[in-house]
Amino acid sequence: MAHVTFGEKLVIGKVGEGRIAQWLMGKGYTVLPVYEQALHSGKGPVVFSSEQHLIAPDMIVYRGETVKWVEAKTKASFTWHRRSGTWCTGIDLRHYEDYVQLLGSSPWAIWILFLHTDSLGAKDTPRELIGKSPVGLFGNDLAVLSRHEHHRHKGWGSGGMVYWKYCVLRQLADLDHI
């Protein structure tokens, strides 16, 4: 498997965010892409208050009276967690911790959505499971996810990662519908 540069990952992420935003609009949501406001700064969007500065989710969406924050993640595949024998996916721990803080002060729910595009599985997937990693759009409300963390790993990402089991996520759409 070839190494993917940060720039390539950024492009993949932006394409995925666009696909997720299009899917949300197809469901009747209006989308305010928060990340667009910070593109030229080299930093992600931030929510400022007098008490704190928190990393912001990628977009705000609304339909009627319903308003949500949405964090959109694009990943090739779920990771097979050998100890528990389950597919897992996750996000950067620092971002997650900021989202949990934001959840406590925001009037809106925060949803984390994962677009998984490849059934092969991560690079260390057991041979018998290659081609069986779930694909499509998955997600859940952070209020649910924060009560169902599967594990954390300090060795991945810039400051660690938090992971959830596949079964904690709702499949929102097949890959063909994103």
Side-chain angles (χ1 to χ4, degrees), residues 10-27:
L10 189 61
V11 169
I12 291 167
K14 292 297 176 198
V15 169
E17 287 170 1
R19 289 176 71 184
I20 291 170
Q22 288 292 323
W23 179 81
L24 287 162
M25 288 185 285
K27 296 292 180 189

Side-chain angles (χ1 to χ4, degrees), residues 21-153:
Q22 288 292 323
W23 179 81
L24 287 162
M25 288 185 285
K27 296 292 180 189
Y29 284 95
T30 299
V31 176
L32 170 63
V34 177
Y35 58 85
E36 292 292 346
Q37 299 173 4
L39 272 180
H40 301 295
S41 71
K43 297 178 182 178
V46 178
V47 176
F48 296 101
S49 74
S50 60
E51 296 85 35
Q52 57 196 357
H53 305 271
L54 301 171
I55 298 166
D58 293 315
M59 54 188 95
I60 296 172
V61 302
Y62 64 90
R63 179 176 63 193
E65 299 294 316
T66 301
V67 181
K68 301 176 189 178
W69 290 99
V70 173
E71 174 63 14
K73 293 294 179 195
T74 304
K75 299 186 170 222
S77 296
F78 280 87
T79 300
W80 183 253
H81 188 255
R82 292 175 189 264
R83 276 192 207 152
S84 62
T86 188
W87 295 108
C88 292
T89 194
I91 64 171
D92 183 272
L93 184 59
R94 182 171 158 250
H95 291 198
Y96 169 69
E97 289 172 341
D98 277 13
Y99 301 154
V100 169
Q101 283 188 20
L102 180 60
L103 183 62
S105 63
S106 175
W108 308 320
I110 300 173
W111 275 70
I112 302 180
L113 303 184
F114 297 93
L115 177 59
H116 285 269
T117 60
D118 190 339
S119 66
L120 292 177
K123 64 183 175 192
D124 59 349
T125 299
R127 182 173 306 162
E128 67 274 13
L129 295 174
I130 292 174
K132 296 182 180 178
S133 176
V135 295
L137 182 63
F138 303 87
N140 211 330
D141 189 320
L142 183 60
V144 172
L145 294 176
S146 65
R147 294 190 311 268
H148 295 283
E149 289 180 27
H150 183 261
H151 69 282
R152 293 180 179 203
H153 194 292

